[in-house]
Amino acid sequence: MRDFKHSLLNYSIKRLLQGIPLIILVVLFSFAIIQFAPGEPISLIAGGDDMTQEQIDYLTEQWGLDQPIHIQMWRYCTKMLRFDLGISYRQARPVLDIILERLPYTLLLLIPSLLIATVIGVSVGVYCATHMHSTGDSVMTVAALTGYSVPLFWVGQMLILIFAMKLSWFPVSGISDLRSQAQGLAKAWDVFLHLVLPGLSLIFSYSAMIIRVMRTKMAEVLQTDFIKTARAKGLPESKVIWGHGLRNALAPVVTVVGMELATMVMGATVVETVFGYPGTGRLIFTAISNRDYPLIAGMFFFISVGVILANVLVDILYAVLDPQVRYN
């Protein structure tokens, strides 16, 4: 146990240190987004072009845009170390405050969807692998291929058309009914109803990917010698599959989820835009539409660092599942 903890700790520290150069590159790229974006920053800050030269000079000095680019970069990087992501051109508020206002809504949508999709994907993938070429396997495989191929925005629009417009079972958009004065459990139920359709869109896409990977890997694991040995010892089939096979088949699923984290975040952006959901995904779309470059750069930094740290956690989890990774 001590060797396990020691090797896992060393591996975790190594992976965290490897993430630092990537974060530095993200900071530099965020600075580049603001510097080389099209349009005149002062006109974007002021919200128009009808300014006198004195006003332009004043704003240029106030925002430090009259300094050489290397000084601007140094100031930007030092601010990043303090998590000062700058001021939004359009909202005239700290970018970090704007992001933190929206982040809980995105996490409320993204984390449960990913967890449910993982449970569904693993369970269905194991079923397909243990019932290869059966009717159920064929149906699930086609469904998974469909879910992986169909664009998320189309799935969202179909769910709105059927369950919101036709059946009126769920709300069309938002996070809650603005006209409602409900509190407590009634408020929570209202939020839950607004989460169902965007959550189903993400679950449909995420689980499809996991099913395909889990089915393939589990089928390979079930043909290995240690599985045949476990069956020869007379162990129950359920213990062979879920106790021995699943642990060895999970590692690739963890890897795929880690590799697809950035894609998942972009998927959340599409879903939030389709459903008018007030999360960070819709915030990105609004910032791009308004050419709010500090907010775009701040979102890029925030999401990139989050994906890097999430991948580090995925690698650590992979090391827990596969001892060879941490020892090598």
Side-chain angles (χ1 to χ4, degrees):
M1 179 61 70
R2 181 176 297 178
D3 290 340
F4 169 79
K5 292 181 179 179
H6 181 71
S7 61
L8 183 61
L9 179 61
N10 288 339
Y11 179 79
S12 302
I13 293 174
K14 180 181 178 181
R15 289 296 295 116
L16 286 170
L17 292 177
Q18 289 174 346
I20 293 176
L22 291 176
I23 294 176
I24 294 174
L25 289 176
V26 167
V27 172
L28 295 177
F29 196 82
S30 300
F31 175 76
I33 289 177
I34 299 176
Q35 288 296 319
F36 302 108
E40 176 59 40
I42 294 302
S43 63
L44 293 174
I45 294 169
D49 298 322
D50 299 330
M51 293 185 296
T52 64
Q53 186 60 44
E54 290 77 9
Q55 291 173 322
I56 293 176
D57 293 340
Y58 174 77
L59 289 175
T60 300
E61 182 180 355
Q62 286 293 108
W63 285 80
L65 299 175
D66 58 336
Q67 300 293 328
I69 190 169
H70 66 278
I71 294 179
Q72 293 185 45
M73 183 177 69
W74 174 253
R75 288 180 175 177
Y76 184 83
C77 292
T78 53
K79 285 182 178 180
M80 282 292 191
L81 290 176
R82 303 192 302 269
F83 283 93
D84 182 356
L85 305 184
I87 304 297
S88 166
Y89 285 168
R90 294 298 184 182
Q91 301 188 37
R93 298 171 53 209
V95 169
L96 184 61
D97 291 348
I98 298 172
I99 295 174
L100 292 179
E101 284 179 0
R102 300 290 192 97
L103 184 61
Y105 296 115
T106 295
L107 295 179
L108 184 63
L109 173 63
L110 197 59
I111 293 177
S113 299
L114 182 57
L115 292 176
I116 294 172
T118 301
V119 172
I120 293 174
V122 169
S123 302
V124 175
V126 170
Y127 170 83
C128 292
T130 54
H131 297 78
M132 294 288 286
H133 310 302
S134 65
T135 302
D137 174 42
S138 300
V139 172
M140 294 298 178
T141 301
V142 171
L145 183 61
T146 302
Y148 190 76
S149 305
V150 174
L152 260 177
F153 69 87
W154 185 86
V155 174
Q157 289 175 339
M158 291 301 101
L159 290 177
I160 290 175
L161 180 63
I162 296 172
F163 295 103
M165 305 298 293
K166 295 292 184 181
L167 300 177
S168 300
W169 288 358
F170 300 102
V172 174
S173 63
I175 184 63
S176 62
D177 188 350
L178 298 178
R179 299 167 298 179
S180 175
Q181 301 296 323
Q183 299 293 329
L185 292 177
K187 179 68 173 180
W189 178 252
D190 182 40
V191 172
F192 171 77
L193 291 177
H194 283 80
L195 286 170
V196 170
L197 293 185
L200 285 177
S201 301
L202 295 176
I203 291 170
F204 184 66
S205 177
Y206 297 167
S207 60
M209 172 189 66
I210 297 173
I211 288 171
R212 295 173 71 238
V213 176
M214 192 68 198
R215 177 184 183 273
T216 302
K217 186 59 183 178
M218 192 67 180
E220 293 177 3
V221 170
L222 292 178
Q223 301 302 317
T224 56
D225 292 337
F226 76 90
I227 291 293
K228 295 177 181 178
T229 302
R231 284 171 171 163
K233 288 181 178 179
L235 293 177
E237 186 67 12
S238 59
K239 188 172 183 179
V240 171
I241 294 172
W242 298 102
H244 292 73
L246 182 60
R247 180 184 177 89
N248 291 274
L250 271 179
V253 175
V254 171
T255 303
V256 169
V257 171
M259 292 174 59
E260 294 290 333
L261 280 174
T263 304
M264 292 176 181
V265 172
M266 292 302 101
T269 300
V270 172
V271 168
E272 288 182 8
T273 303
V274 170
F275 286 93
Y277 187 83
T280 54
R282 190 181 178 198
L283 182 63
I284 295 173
F285 180 80
T286 303
I288 294 173
S289 300
N290 293 333
R291 296 168 61 191
D292 193 342
Y293 296 123
L295 184 54
I296 296 172
M299 286 299 307
F300 172 78
F301 171 78
F302 210 90
I303 292 174
S304 298
V305 171
V307 170
I308 291 171
L309 294 178
N311 274 280
V312 170
L313 292 176
V314 167
D315 287 344
I316 293 172
L317 180 57
Y318 193 103
V320 173
L321 295 173
D322 188 351
Q324 291 183 356
V325 173
R326 60 178 181 271
Y327 284 113
N328 291 336

